[in-house]
Amino acid sequence: EADIYQTPRYLVIGTGKKITLECSQTMGHDKMYWYQQDPGMELHLIHYSYGVNSTEKGDLSSESTVSRIRTEHFPLTLESARPSHTSQYLCASSRDRGNSPLHFGNGTRLTVT
Amino acid sequence: QKEVEQNSGPLSVPEGAIASLNCTYSDRGSQSFFWYRQYSGKSPELIMFIYSNGDKEDGRFTAQLNKASQYVSLLIRDSQPSDSATYLCAVKTGNQFYFGTGTSLTVIP
């Protein structure tokens, strides 16, 4: 069972601020992902990483950036938050094996005013 | 065409009944198939995965896979009110996961 942690759980911030959403996992998973999900809507892949120093943009990069300096840590940064960034952000990880599932963190609910 | 299609519902079943959730996928190269449960405001939680044709049972849950028809289903037996949630079908193709929009299930006491 993967342990994956996201902080903060809730964040309210003003337009134009720079924010970083934290994600850490303790299971040594090589693959990590960030998804964005609005209430009642589907998940959209923002960024993913297959290992240290490897990052790729997903379908919805949403003006954010990620880094993967350590295996366990995959933070997401918004350089200048906008109201359109208001959403739930979900971090997930997976083993590097063909049939391994995604394990999700508890999510960060972001509100940009 | 979307990678993964699900009927968005809502699906309502009485307590104790069997709930049947369906999912189709477009890429014949997809290798693994997952069902997640998501309560409102929470993150998805893995219920089951399947990668071979046929049925896989785990408690009250049965996943069914038919690769020829590109079809995956989830049966929930003896449905309980606590099963009320959105169920997401996910398909893994290569290193990528593709999610359906989810089916909303309500179990009526």
Side-chain angles (χ1 to χ4, degrees):
Chain A
E1 189 70 33
D3 291 320
I4 182 164
Y5 307 99
Q6 289 186 244
T7 57
R9 284 284 287 122
Y10 303 94
L11 180 61
V12 180
I13 201 162
T15 298
K17 299 292 186 183
K18 178 180 178 179
I19 57 171
T20 296
L21 308 183
E22 301 289 347
C23 177
S24 294
Q25 48 95 6
T26 59
M27 296 303 291
H29 288 175
D30 283 324
K31 296 178 179 174
M32 297 189 74
Y33 305 78
W34 276 103
Y35 289 88
Q36 183 176 340
Q37 186 184 34
D38 292 323
M41 304 297 285
E42 61 193 291
L43 282 82
H44 292 283
L45 181 64
I46 311 172
H47 294 279
Y48 58 98
S49 167
Y50 292 158
V52 171
N53 294 326
S54 154
T55 62
E56 300 287 344
K57 290 188 175 184
D59 301 327
L60 187 74
S61 60
S62 69
E63 301 153 336
S64 57
T65 59
V66 291
S67 63
R68 190 86 184 276
I69 298 172
R70 304 196 314 267
T71 298
E72 63 271 21
H73 194 215
F74 191 42
L76 174 77
T77 298
L78 287 171
E79 292 293 333
S80 179
R82 297 212 294 259
S84 60
H85 293 138
T86 295
S87 189
Q88 167 137 288
Y89 292 83
L90 294 166
C91 182
S93 71
S94 172
R95 288 189 186 279
D96 189 15
R97 277 205 305 255
N99 297 322
S100 297
L102 273 178
H103 297 272
F104 286 89
N106 286 332
T108 293
R109 168 68 63 185
L110 174 65
T111 301
V112 183
T113 60
Chain B
Q1 183 186 5
K2 286 191 172 185
E3 297 279 346
V4 180
E5 303 260 13
Q6 289 183 259
N7 186 333
S8 61
L11 174 66
S12 294
V13 300
E15 184 174 355
I18 296 175
S20 177
L21 306 163
N22 304 314
C23 171
T24 58
Y25 60 96
S26 61
D27 191 334
R28 286 192 173 275
S30 300
Q31 319 105 296
S32 312
F33 308 88
F34 308 88
W35 283 100
Y36 288 83
R37 177 175 60 200
Q38 187 174 27
Y39 293 112
S40 180
K42 303 293 186 181
S43 62
E45 170 193 10
L46 180 69
I47 300 174
M48 291 195 69
F49 61 91
I50 185 168
Y51 44 83
S52 300
N53 273 328
D55 295 0
K56 180 181 179 182
E57 188 174 317
D58 184 1
R60 296 187 296 111
F61 299 96
T62 298
Q64 299 174 318
L65 174 61
N66 183 325
K67 287 188 176 181
S69 301
Q70 296 174 242
Y71 177 89
V72 193
S73 66
L74 179 70
L75 300 177
I76 306 174
R77 289 182 300 282
D78 188 24
S79 295
Q80 301 297 308
S82 59
D83 295 326
S84 298
T86 296
Y87 289 81
L88 302 174
C89 173
V91 172
K92 190 174 185 181
T93 307
N95 287 317
Q96 287 301 327
F97 292 83
Y98 298 94
F99 286 84
T101 54
T103 299
S104 175
L105 171 67
T106 299
V107 180
I108 303 166

